[in-house]
Amino acid sequence: EVQLVESGGGLVQAGGSLRLSCAASGFSFDEYAMCWFRQAPGKEREGVLCIISYDGRTYYADSVKGRFTITTDKATNMVYLQMNSLKFEDTGLYYCAAGRWWLLPPQLPDIYGMDYWGRGTLVTVSS
């Protein structure tokens, strides 16, 4: 059974940092792109970052370049999202997702490219 479980969300002041974790099970990182999406109140879910462990490719949303980093640990099946210099507009529910990388275009994928989703962890940035 495939599971994605996010943790690490919370309340942080603007300019601060937060690290989200995603515990993955039931599939191999080599077969899937691991991604973080987020959904702000009243907005659509959007892609933030994706990493393809098979060849090391990463894709970033322009809004987070230079501030967010995605990493994976194959030994523990963990995916991390390091978020620095947080802004109020980074507030939202953050989801971990996995999609078969060979079916995805060479760009940050949309929600339709993902096969599995976690339930999300809430990040609130106070201004």
Side-chain angles (χ1 to χ4, degrees):
E1 179 189 5
V2 173
Q3 280 194 321
L4 297 171
V5 180
E6 304 94 337
S7 61
L11 175 64
V12 62
Q13 286 189 330
S17 297
L18 208 58
R19 191 177 80 152
L20 305 184
S21 301
C22 172
S25 60
F27 63 95
S28 169
F29 278 6
D30 284 338
E31 298 176 8
Y32 285 82
M34 298 304 301
C35 304
W36 287 94
F37 287 74
R38 67 184 179 190
Q39 188 164 16
K43 294 189 176 181
E44 294 185 351
R45 195 173 299 186
E46 62 175 1
V48 179
L49 296 106
C50 260
I51 186 168
I52 300 174
S53 296
Y54 178 79
D55 58 12
R57 279 180 286 161
T58 55
Y59 299 104
Y60 291 77
D62 288 342
S63 59
V64 305
K65 280 182 180 176
R67 300 189 299 121
F68 290 14
T69 304
I70 185 171
T71 56
T72 60
D73 184 337
K74 290 184 182 182
T76 57
N77 286 345
M78 295 292 295
V79 185
Y80 300 101
L81 178 61
Q82 178 65 45
M83 303 185 294
N84 299 327
S85 302
L86 282 161
K87 304 176 181 179
F88 175 75
E89 51 265 38
D90 293 319
T91 294
L93 196 56
Y94 281 70
Y95 297 91
C96 179
R100 287 163 289 175
W101 62 264
W102 64 89
L103 297 179
L104 302 174
Q107 61 188 41
L108 191 65
D110 58 26
I111 61 173
Y112 304 106
M114 299 293 104
D115 297 301
Y116 304 110
W117 292 87
R119 300 182 69 174
T121 185
L122 183 62
V123 173
T124 304
V125 184
S126 62
S127 57

